[in-house]
Structures are given as structure tokens and as C-alpha cells.
Amino acid sequence: MPELPEVQTIVNDLNAAGMTGRQVVQAQVFWPRTIATSSPETFRRSIKGQVIGTIGRRAKFILFGFKSGKRLAVHLRMTGRFQIGKSDRPNGHVHVILSLDDGRSLWFHDTRKFGRFYLMDTSESESLLASLGPEPLDAAFTPGVLAGGLARHHRQIKPLLLDQTFIAGLGNIYVDESLWAARIHPLRRADTLLPAEVKALHAAIRHTLRQGLKYAGTTLGRGQSNFYSLGESRGTNDTHLKVFRRTGLPCERCKRPIERIVVGQRSTHLCQWCQRLQ
DNA sequence: CCAGTTGTTGTTCT
DNA sequence: AAGAACAACAACTG
């Protein structure tokens, strides 16, 4: 669930919570596989004493930069969440706890246990991020860059936009929303988009992501597996979705019902009228 | 009980 | 070689 806007929202909230300058005084690991780069024991030993310098994002990774030159990259995958521990009794879905020098602790909550922590030297961590595609909200991501990329692939446009090596940060929700906004069918072959369509797609991706960010992410439903930023705060972008999980509801533009199809094994929502395949 | 689910990776098939 | 299909990871939701 967490895509670029959700991950950025968490990063913003971590920064607002005053994490910079905090020292990790103790770490606990309850689900060993969460730690991707070493044994839990090595992780606990390595992170103890680290002082947080910066907290940022690349693609869907949260990057904790420590003053020592080490870096913790966290990928939330489907259901990872951070929360400021409010008690000393975490529930069964809290798999890592970082205790801080100000008495607070950062809990990593992850019902499906797919989330991963990568702790390494910053220089070494570049290999983890090396294959990622461009950041869609960076100034360097121009319509020309997108056009050049699309021209190199004959793949269906939706799976291509989900491919993190092609463009970073998009997931199922924002891809469906972007394609609807650009009026492009998810099965269109990437190298068949006309220049005007590429331009529309570029604008749609940026608009869709910025809107998600503006409303602090998309939270669907109320369950354990939904997106919540720090402190259990929900995002409100769900009220602005045009197609995602809106099967049968009228398209905002043409009033015809939104349909659900499967593309690349992924649930896909679209308006067959506005997004014609030809 | 059954089908479906937001992300990613690795394998296998075409 | 490229791209599509599929399983696996693991657990909740409807």
C-alpha cells in the first residue's frame, strides 16, 4: 500500500516528530527476517549508539542517515508502519523497536511481515538504490525523459509504470489514477504513445502524486493492513480517487461505470470509454 | 471456508 | 533478449 506519497508522508512526520539528533540506545528484533542485511544480533550491535542525522526518501525506501556514515534503509512493502511507542507492551505485529535517548521508541509494525531493514555504510547502500528509475517529482524528470524511456519498451504501460527500475515510487493505486487522468488504457504498448499522450501522462503522474501528498496519503478501510502514518494518522486521499476500488461507480468525466480488469496479475481499474484501447 | 489484497523478487515459460 | 506468467513471502478482509 505505501507508495511515494505515503512514504513521503511518513518521512515528513518523522522529521516533524524531532527524530533528528536522537540516538538509538537500544534495538529489539522480534521477527528476524525483517533485518535483511545481517543477523538480528549484528543489527542490534551495529545500530546501538547511532545518532540520526537526516531522514529522507528514495523511491519507496525510507532512509535514515546516521552521523557515523551508516544508513538504515527501510522498505515498508505492503503493510509496514512506524509508530511512536506509547506503552511498553507492543502488540504482536510490532517486529522491531528502536529505543531513543529521549525516552521515546520507534516501533516497526508490519502485519504481513514483508517489510525489510537494510543497515549498511551509506556508500555500500548505493547498490541497493542503484537500479531505481527516476524520481517522478524531481525537476530532472521531464516529459522528454519519460518519452525516451517509453520508446525503449514494447511492454504494456501499466506493468511498466509499476516497474521501479523504470520509474520510482508508483504502485497500483497511483498508476491506475494516473492512467485515468491521462486517458490511457493500461494495456497500451509503451512505445505506441503519441507525443501528446506522453505529455499528458507525465502531467498526470505528477498531479496524482502531488495530490496524494497533499492529502497525506491514501488510507482505504479501517483494518490492520491499511496505511497509517506516524501516530495512527490516516491519509484522506481516498476521497479524491477517481478509479481505484471504484468498480461500478460512475466515471467522473463520462458517467459510465468504472470497470475492473486484471493486468499483469494486478487488479486494475479504468473507464473503458475514456481510456479506449482502439 | 474461500477468494482477494496495496510490493518485490526469483524462476520459468514463450 | 524481452516480456509475460506465476509462485513465494504472510496475514488480514469481506
Side-chain angles (χ1 to χ4, degrees):
Chain A
M1 185 193 296
E3 307 178 31
L4 187 156
E6 289 75 28
V7 177
Q8 186 65 52
T9 295
I10 293 169
V11 167
N12 294 346
D13 287 354
L14 285 168
N15 280 312
M19 289 293 151
T20 300
R22 299 280 58 79
Q23 184 177 42
V24 179
V25 294
Q26 191 200 193
Q28 294 164 272
V29 179
F30 305 105
W31 184 257
R33 297 180 68 168
T34 301
I35 311 302
T37 42
S38 72
S39 67
E41 292 69 32
T42 302
F43 172 82
R44 287 194 288 109
R45 204 175 339 107
S46 310
I47 202 165
K48 188 172 176 175
Q50 298 290 331
V51 178
I52 299 172
T54 58
I55 302 176
R57 179 192 61 78
R58 170 75 172 104
K60 298 173 190 170
F61 287 94
I62 298 172
L63 304 176
F64 295 84
F66 296 112
K67 294 188 174 171
S68 66
K70 282 192 183 299
R71 169 189 269 173
L72 172 65
V74 175
H75 200 298
L76 305 170
R77 293 286 185 96
M78 312 266 286
T79 59
R81 287 149 56 172
F82 275 108
Q83 42 197 195
I84 306 285
K86 288 179 306 192
S87 69
D88 46 18
R89 292 182 55 116
N91 72 30
H93 297 304
V94 174
H95 307 310
V96 180
I97 295 181
L98 302 180
S99 303
L100 306 176
D101 61 351
D102 62 359
R104 292 184 295 176
S105 57
L106 201 51
W107 290 1
F108 181 66
H109 178 288
D110 185 17
T111 50
R112 290 183 64 178
K113 300 177 176 172
F114 293 162
R116 291 293 179 264
F117 280 38
Y118 303 83
L119 178 61
M120 35 192 156
D121 293 332
T122 297
S123 54
E124 179 189 6
S125 74
E126 293 305 324
S127 61
L128 185 67
L129 312 176
S131 61
L132 293 167
E135 281 292 328
L137 295 181
D138 273 6
F141 181 69
T142 60
V145 168
L146 178 60
L150 293 172
R152 285 187 287 107
H153 294 279
H154 190 62
R155 296 172 64 183
Q156 299 163 338
I157 187 72
K158 167 156 178 172
L160 183 60
L161 293 177
L162 287 172
D163 185 339
Q164 300 298 299
T165 69
F166 181 77
I167 181 172
L170 294 177
N172 214 26
I173 298 174
Y174 294 97
V175 166
D176 280 5
E177 293 296 315
S178 296
L179 290 173
W180 179 85
R183 303 178 186 244
I184 294 170
H185 195 288
L187 291 175
R188 277 288 294 283
R189 296 285 165 174
D191 55 3
T192 68
L193 264 61
L194 305 173
E197 292 177 311
V198 174
K199 212 165 177 208
L201 180 58
H202 177 267
I205 290 170
R206 305 224 323 180
H207 171 260
T208 302
L209 293 175
R210 285 208 184 98
Q211 183 183 265
L213 207 42
K214 177 178 172 185
Y215 294 103
T218 302
T219 300
L220 295 158
R222 260 146 276 84
Q224 290 264 332
S225 309
N226 288 285
F227 165 72
Y228 290 85
S229 186
L230 273 195
E232 284 98 78
S233 59
R234 301 167 55 85
T236 58
N237 192 52
D238 58 320
T239 60
H240 301 276
L241 298 179
K242 311 297 188 191
V243 288
F244 193 81
R245 295 227 188 137
R246 292 180 56 80
T247 310
L249 295 171
C251 168
E252 218 168 82
R253 281 189 303 239
C254 75
K255 310 305 175 200
R256 292 172 175 82
I258 300 299
E259 291 177 45
R260 176 187 175 277
I261 63 175
V262 174
V263 177
Q265 282 94 7
R266 309 299 304 279
S267 174
T268 298
H269 311 78
L270 77 163
C271 172
Q272 298 272 17
W273 177 263
C274 293
Q275 299 164 262
R276 266 162 294 186
L277 194 48
Q278 283 325 328

